[in-house]
Amino acid sequence: MSLIVIETAQTGFKRGRLLEKIGLQAQDTAELFFEDVRAPIQNRLGEEGAGFGILMGKLAQERLVQAIRSVSAVEAIIEWTVAYTRERKAFGQTLGDFQNTQFKLAELSAEAGALRCFVDRSIEAHIDGSLTGVDAAKVKLVAANLHCRVADECLQFFGGYGYVFEFPIARAYVDARVAKIAGGAVEVMKQIIGRDLFSKTCG
């Protein structure tokens, strides 16, 4: 397989309809059609037949990017929720005054801090060239799962407001779901990690 760059003005290339997604509304996603497209040899990336290797060589980086997106979203969601529960009144006090609110957000904040350390260490490893595919799968798996859980549990504090797109938490909730798909599904991450665990000789 070879990778070839195709200009949008190229004969035979056609962009189809925009796909309607449940989240990431600011990011256009469309069908692309290539019918009898011809491209000059200088449009090839790398050597002939090296395309698959090029793509595979970037998988760890792609998964790290997904983890960075997730941890950033997690931190923002927790920040919004703390700010909201400080102001929102219920039963004569703010939501933030309830022990359940403090305990839940404390737990999520601690997990977010641990994830941030993992992500930052993975960035360092990527920069120095030591980030393995297995470690990238691990950070992506942990980040995606926490991202979706934080979005779900924090939305609950907003009540009905959290279900309205006018509030950032609602948009963050639907945007979070793709974290378990983009860059490789979480099931694929588990398979990569599991394979590595069971490929090691015990004793």
Side-chain angles (χ1 to χ4, degrees), residues 40-110:
I41 190 66
Q42 60 263 31
N43 282 32
R44 188 183 68 206
L45 296 179
E47 298 300 317
E48 185 174 352
F52 184 73
I54 293 172
L55 290 176
M56 292 299 291
K58 297 298 181 183
L59 275 178
Q61 179 177 326
E62 180 185 4
R63 285 163 184 164
L64 176 56
V65 167
Q66 293 300 325
I68 293 168
R69 172 183 170 268
S70 285
V71 73
S72 299
V74 162
E75 291 168 344
I77 291 167
I78 292 172
E79 185 178 322
W80 300 337
T81 308
V82 169
Y84 180 79
T85 55
R86 269 190 183 138
E87 302 296 328
R88 177 67 174 173
K89 296 286 182 64
F91 303 106
Q93 57 186 334
T94 69
L95 289 181
D97 289 326
F98 288 96
Q99 188 181 67
N100 176 69
T101 302
Q102 294 179 16
F103 277 17
K104 175 52 66 179
L105 291 175
E107 181 181 85
L108 295 179
S109 179

Side-chain angles (χ1 to χ4, degrees), residues 77 146-157 169 173 176:
I77 291 167
L146 184 62
H147 186 175
C148 289
R149 183 158 58 84
V150 166
D152 181 58
E153 294 185 7
C154 284
L155 185 146
Q156 191 71 19
F157 286 112
I169 186 66
Y173 177 81

